[in-house]
C-alpha cells in the first residue's frame, strides 16, 4: 500500500508549527498527558496487534513496548520545564557588559521512521522527545508490522490533530516519497544499509539526522564470570522477542576454560524459560516474516549446532539455538543475526576478545561478564560501542538517565530522557549586548590597532 502524501499535509504542519502553539511548554505537557492516556486506552489493541505481527508474548509487549513509554512520558513531564529553560552562561571578558544564554528551540516538522521489531515503542519513544521539545511530527511506521502500524495510525488520529502529529503508512517507496520533502529533522531507526539511504536523502536538503541503527553486539564472557546469573541474563537478552532486538547479544566471546559450564547453564536456562518445546511456549515470539525466516535458516548451515536448531516455516518459528565452530567468514558472523541464533567463539586471553571486537564495525551495544573490575574497565576502556552493560544485557535501554544510540556503523545521535529532548532541540546561542557603552576598538578604520588588540587578547586569556 502506498499512501500519497498530500503536500498540503506537510504545509499544514508547517503552518501549525508557525502558529507558535508548540512553543508553549504547558501545551507540550498537555500533549504528553494525552499521549499517555491514549496509549492506556489502546493498550489491549496494541498488545493484540503486537501478537498479530510477531506473536509477541503479552509480558514482553507490556515491558518493552508500553510500560517503558509510560516511564519515559512521566520522566519528560517531570523535567520538561527545566530542560526547556534558557540557560545563562558566562560571557568572555572581551564582550564586556554583555550577557549570554542558550535557548532550546524546536526544529519544526520532524520525520520519525521506525522499524518492525519493537514497532510501537520505536515509533512512540522518539515521538515523546519530539513533543517535549515542541515539534510537529510525521511518523512513518514499518510496513512489515502492519497490525501495529494501523493501531498507531488510529490512535494518533484520535489523540492529535493531523496538523500537529500525523502518521503516513506505506512501503519503502512511501518513505522514499517522504524523503523528497524537506523536513527540519529526521529520526530514523532501522538497518545500517537503509540508514545510509536516509542520510544521503537528508543531505540533499541539509536536514540533520539521528540514525539508530543495528550491528553485531558482542557479549564477552570472561573466565571469572558468575555464570548462574550470567547465563540467565544472556539467554533472556538474546531470546527476548526471538532475538529480534537491536541490542540483543549477537554473539558470545567466551573464555575457553568455561565453555562446558557456560553451555550447560545456557541450555538449562533455555529449558527453564521455554520448556522442552519452545514452539508451544506462550513466552516465545515468532520471526517477523518468511524472508527473515529464510535469511536466518541460512545461518544454520555453518558451524556446529550445540542446542536448538529446530524450525517450522509455516509457524515462522526458530527455536533458541546455540552454535559453535564458526569462523569470522561464515555468513552468521558477517551480518547482524537479528534472530534466536547465538554463535559462541572461544578465546584464551581477554586481549584476543578485545581485538576481535575492535576489528569489526563499532557495535550498538557491548556486554561484558566478569567479576573483576580490572577486566570490566579494560574491556570498556579498550573498546567502543553505542552503549552496553556490565554483567547484564539489554537493560541499559530502559534507563531515562542513559543516552541511547549508536556510534559509527551503529548510528549517530541518541535519545531517551534528556538526551531525547536535546536531540529534538536546536541549541541557540544568544549574546545580549548592553547599550551603556560602545567600545570603538572593533570598528574600522582599524589604523595601527593590531598591537593593542594583541595586548587585549593576552590580558583576557
Ligand atoms: P529497515 O532499515 O529495513 O527499515 C526501517 C524503516 O525504513 C521502515 O519503516 C521501512 O519502511 C523503511 N525503509 C526500508 N527500506 C527503505 C528504503 N530503501 N528507502 C527508504 N526507506 C526504507 O529496518 P528493519 O528491518 O525494519 O529493522 C531491523 C533493523 O533495525 C536492524 O538492523 C536493527 O538492528 C535495527 N534497529 C535498530 C534499533 C536502534 O535503536 N538502534 C532499534 C530497532 C532496530
Amino acid at each position: 500500500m502506498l499512501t500519497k502524501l498530500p503536500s498540503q499535509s506537510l504545509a499544514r504542519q508547517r503552518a501549525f508549527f508557525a502558529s507558535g502553539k508548540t512553543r508553549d511548554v504547558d501545551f507540550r505537557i498537555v500533549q504528553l498527558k494525552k499521549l499517555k492516556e491514549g496509549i492506556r486506552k489502546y493498550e489491549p489493541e496494541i498488545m493484540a496487534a503486537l501478537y498479530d505481527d510477531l506473536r509477541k508474548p503479552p509480558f514482553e509487549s507490556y515491558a518493552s513496548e508500553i510500560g517503558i513509554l509510560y516511564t519515559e512520558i512521566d520522566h519528560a513531564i517531570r523535567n520538561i520545564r527545566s530542560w526547556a529553560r534558557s540557560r545563562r552562561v558566562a560571557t568572555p571578558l572581551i564582550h564586556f557588559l554583555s550577557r549570554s544564554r542558550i535557548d532550546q528551540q524546536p526544529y519544526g516538522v520532524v520525520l520519525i521512521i521506525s522499524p518492525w521489531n519493537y514497532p510501537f515503542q520505536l515509533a512512540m519513544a522518539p515521538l515523546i522527545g519530539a513533543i517535549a521539545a515542541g515539534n510537529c511530527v510525521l511518523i512513518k511506521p514499518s510496513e512489515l508490522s502492519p497490525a501495529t502500524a494501523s493501531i498507531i495510525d488510529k490512535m494518533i488520529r484520535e489523540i492529535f490533530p493531523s496538523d500537529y502529529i500525523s502518521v503516513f503508512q506505506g512501503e519503502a517507496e512511501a518513505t522514499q516519497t517522504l524523503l523528497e520533502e524537506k523536513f527540519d529533522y529526521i529520526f530514523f531507526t532501522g538497518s545500517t544499509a537503509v540508514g545510509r539511504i536516509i542520510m544521503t536523502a537528508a543531505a540533499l536538503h541539509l536536514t540533520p539526522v539521528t540514525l539508530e541503527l543495528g550491528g553485531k553486539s558482542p557479549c564477552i564472557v570472561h573466565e571469572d564470570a558468575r555464570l548462574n546469573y550470567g547465563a540467565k541474563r544472556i539467554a533472556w537478552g538474546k531470546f527476548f522477542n526471538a532475538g529480534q532486538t537491536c541490542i540483543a547479544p549477537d554473539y558470545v566471546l567466551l573464555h575457553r576454560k568455561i565453555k562446558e559450564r557456560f553451555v550447560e547453564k545456557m541450555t538449562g536456562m533455555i529449558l527453564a524459560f521455554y520448556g522442552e518445546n519452545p514452539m508451544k511456549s506462550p513466552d516465545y515470539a515468532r520471526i517477523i516474516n518468511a524472508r527473515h525466516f529464510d535469511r536466518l535458516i541460512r545461518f544454520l548451515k555453518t558451524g556446529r549446532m550445540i542446542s536448538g536448531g529446530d524450525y517450522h516455516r509455516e509457524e515462522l518459528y526458530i527455536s533458541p539455538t546455540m552454535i559453535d565452530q564458526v569462523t569470522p567468514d561464515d555468513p552468521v558472523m558477517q551480518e547482524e543475526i537479528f534472530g534466536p541464533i547465538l554463535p559462541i567463539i572461544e578465546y584464551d586471553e581477554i586481549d584476543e576478545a578485545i581485538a576481535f571486537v575492535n576489528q569489526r564495525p563499532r557495535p550498538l551495544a557491548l556486554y561484558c561478564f566478569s567479576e573483576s573490575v580490572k577486566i570490566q574497565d579494560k574491556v570498556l576502556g579498550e573498546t567502543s560501542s553505542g552503549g552496553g552493560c556490565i554483567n547484564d544485557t539489554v537493560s541499559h535501554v530502559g534507563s531515562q538517565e542513559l543516552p541511547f544510540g549508536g556510534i559509527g556503523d551503529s548510528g549517530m545521535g541518541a535519545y531517551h530522557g534528556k538526551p531525547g529532548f536535546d536531540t529534538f532541540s536546536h541549541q541557540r546561542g544568544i549574546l545580549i549586548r548592553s547599550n551603556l557603552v560602545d567600545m570603538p576598538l572593533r570598528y574600522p578604520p582599524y589604523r595601527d590597532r593590531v598591537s593593542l588588540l594583541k595586548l587585549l587578547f593576552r590580558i583576557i586569556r
Side-chain angles (χ1 to χ4, degrees):
M1 179 187 54
L2 178 83
T3 325
K4 270 235 169 306
L5 173 76
S7 50
Q8 298 148 337
S9 129
L10 202 58
R12 280 203 303 270
Q13 288 204 322
R14 291 208 172 289
F16 191 94
F17 182 71
S19 75
K21 281 191 188 129
T22 67
R23 305 221 170 208
D24 177 3
V25 171
D26 288 326
F27 171 88
R28 302 181 200 171
I29 292 175
V30 170
Q31 307 315 310
L32 288 171
K33 287 183 175 163
K34 279 203 220 166
L35 180 62
K36 188 174 170 188
E37 280 161 27
I39 298 174
R40 213 179 278 295
K41 177 178 163 194
Y42 274 88
E43 249 178 38
E45 285 182 63
I46 297 163
M47 310 258 274
L50 291 166
Y51 193 85
D52 238 33
D53 286 330
L54 285 144
R55 238 208 64 168
K56 211 173 257 216
F59 182 93
E60 293 191 4
S61 290
Y62 194 87
S64 63
E65 305 246 24
I66 295 175
I68 196 171
L69 293 175
Y70 294 149
T71 320
E72 185 78 21
I73 293 174
D74 291 343
H75 184 76
I77 291 174
R78 260 199 316 276
N79 292 288
I80 188 168
R81 288 188 200 285
S82 98
W83 295 343
R85 201 170 292 140
S86 292
R87 199 157 35 89
R88 280 282 294 270
V89 289
T91 302
L93 249 185
I94 198 151
H95 297 300
F96 168 67
L97 282 182
S98 301
R99 284 175 292 125
S100 306
R101 68 161 202 250
I102 301 170
D103 291 346
Q104 311 296 325
Q105 286 211 312
Y107 276 100
V109 181
V110 167
L111 171 63
I112 293 174
I113 305 172
S114 52
W116 53 261
N117 60 332
Y118 291 85
F120 190 72
Q121 191 253 112
L122 292 173
M124 294 298 124
L127 177 66
I128 295 165
I131 291 177
N135 298 279
C136 294
V137 183
L138 197 148
I139 304 166
K140 160 66 184 72
S142 173
E143 68 283 9
L144 299 187
S145 40
T148 311
S150 95
I151 285 300
I152 292 174
D153 200 345
K154 186 173 164 201
M155 185 189 84
I156 292 292
R157 264 176 219 280
E158 192 179 300
I159 311 176
F160 301 114
S162 62
D163 301 10
Y164 173 41
I165 294 168
S166 59
V167 176
F168 183 71
Q169 288 199 65
E171 311 271 327
E173 305 86 75
T175 317
Q176 280 157 5
T177 312
L178 280 179
L179 291 172
E180 286 167 18
E181 305 286 340
K182 181 173 169 61
F183 287 88
D184 300 304
Y185 201 94
I186 298 178
F187 188 102
F188 171 80
T189 308
S191 61
T192 301
V194 178
R196 282 201 180 89
I197 297 175
I198 304 294
M199 195 168 174
T200 306
L204 293 178
H205 294 297
L206 290 179
T207 300
V209 292
T210 290
L211 300 177
E212 296 281 340
L213 311 178
K216 293 183 81 62
S217 298
C219 179
I220 298 175
V221 185
H222 198 55
E223 186 181 2
D224 63 342
R226 198 163 156 192
L227 290 184
N228 281 353
Y229 290 161
K232 195 187 266 184
R233 293 169 188 175
I234 294 168
W236 171 75
K238 178 69 186 184
F239 301 116
F240 197 96
N241 201 27
Q244 300 163 113
T245 303
C246 55
I247 46 171
D250 187 273
Y251 60 95
V252 166
L253 287 166
L254 180 67
H255 196 283
R256 200 179 302 280
K257 276 197 190 147
I258 56 168
K259 168 97 181 276
E260 212 174 299
R261 257 191 330 122
F262 178 78
V263 167
E264 185 193 312
K265 296 257 181 233
M266 283 289 287
T267 315
M269 279 308 149
I270 294 168
L271 184 69
F273 288 175
Y274 308 111
E276 290 285 354
N277 183 1
M279 195 159 97
K280 294 213 173 112
S281 166
D283 298 326
Y284 190 63
R286 294 294 181 264
I287 306 305
I288 185 72
N289 60 24
R291 181 169 67 80
H292 280 283
F293 177 91
D294 293 340
R295 182 183 63 80
L296 287 163
I297 293 306
R298 197 167 48 90
F299 291 152
L300 299 178
K301 297 204 170 104
T302 45
R304 186 186 62 152
M305 197 80 64
I306 305 177
S307 73
D310 307 317
Y311 50 87
H312 192 303
R313 195 167 191 275
E314 256 163 55
E315 271 271 329
L316 296 174
Y317 163 82
I318 301 178
S319 65
T321 299
M322 282 190 290
I323 56 177
D324 67 356
Q325 296 181 10
V326 293
T327 74
D329 298 328
D330 290 338
V332 75
M333 288 308 294
Q334 287 288 311
E335 55 179 278
E336 180 182 3
I337 297 172
F338 219 55
I341 300 166
L342 184 67
I344 295 171
I345 296 171
E346 291 140 67
Y347 69 84
D348 293 301
E349 301 294 334
I350 193 68
D351 286 320
E352 276 173 55
I354 291 172
F356 192 92
V357 171
N358 289 338
Q359 281 152 10
R360 286 162 178 76
R362 287 183 280 181
L364 185 57
L366 179 140
Y367 305 113
C368 171
F369 287 77
S370 168
E371 288 295 282
S372 152
V373 175
K374 216 167 133 199
I375 291 289
Q376 296 168 7
D377 287 348
K378 182 176 169 65
V379 168
L380 291 181
E382 296 179 19
T383 59
S384 171
S385 69
C389 303
I390 294 291
N391 291 329
D392 202 0
T393 64
V394 175
S395 300
H396 60 299
V397 72
S399 166
Q400 282 72 43
E401 303 299 333
L402 296 175
F404 182 77
I407 180 169
D409 283 19
S410 60
M412 60 185 72
Y415 71 134
H416 291 177
K418 185 169 185 296
F421 178 90
D422 292 344
T423 281
F424 290 107
S425 303
H426 166 61
Q427 301 223 317
R428 189 191 203 190
I430 300 292
L431 184 135
I432 303 149
R433 176 73 73 187
S434 157
N435 277 336
L436 278 180
V437 285
D438 195 33
M439 304 289 271
L441 177 74
R442 71 175 177 181
Y443 301 110
Y446 303 120
R447 297 200 185 91
D448 53 358
R449 287 188 216 138
V450 172
S451 25
L452 183 59
L453 191 65
K454 282 185 178 172
L455 180 67
L456 204 65
F457 269 101
R458 263 209 300 276
I459 295 170
I460 60 167
R461 219 169 10 209

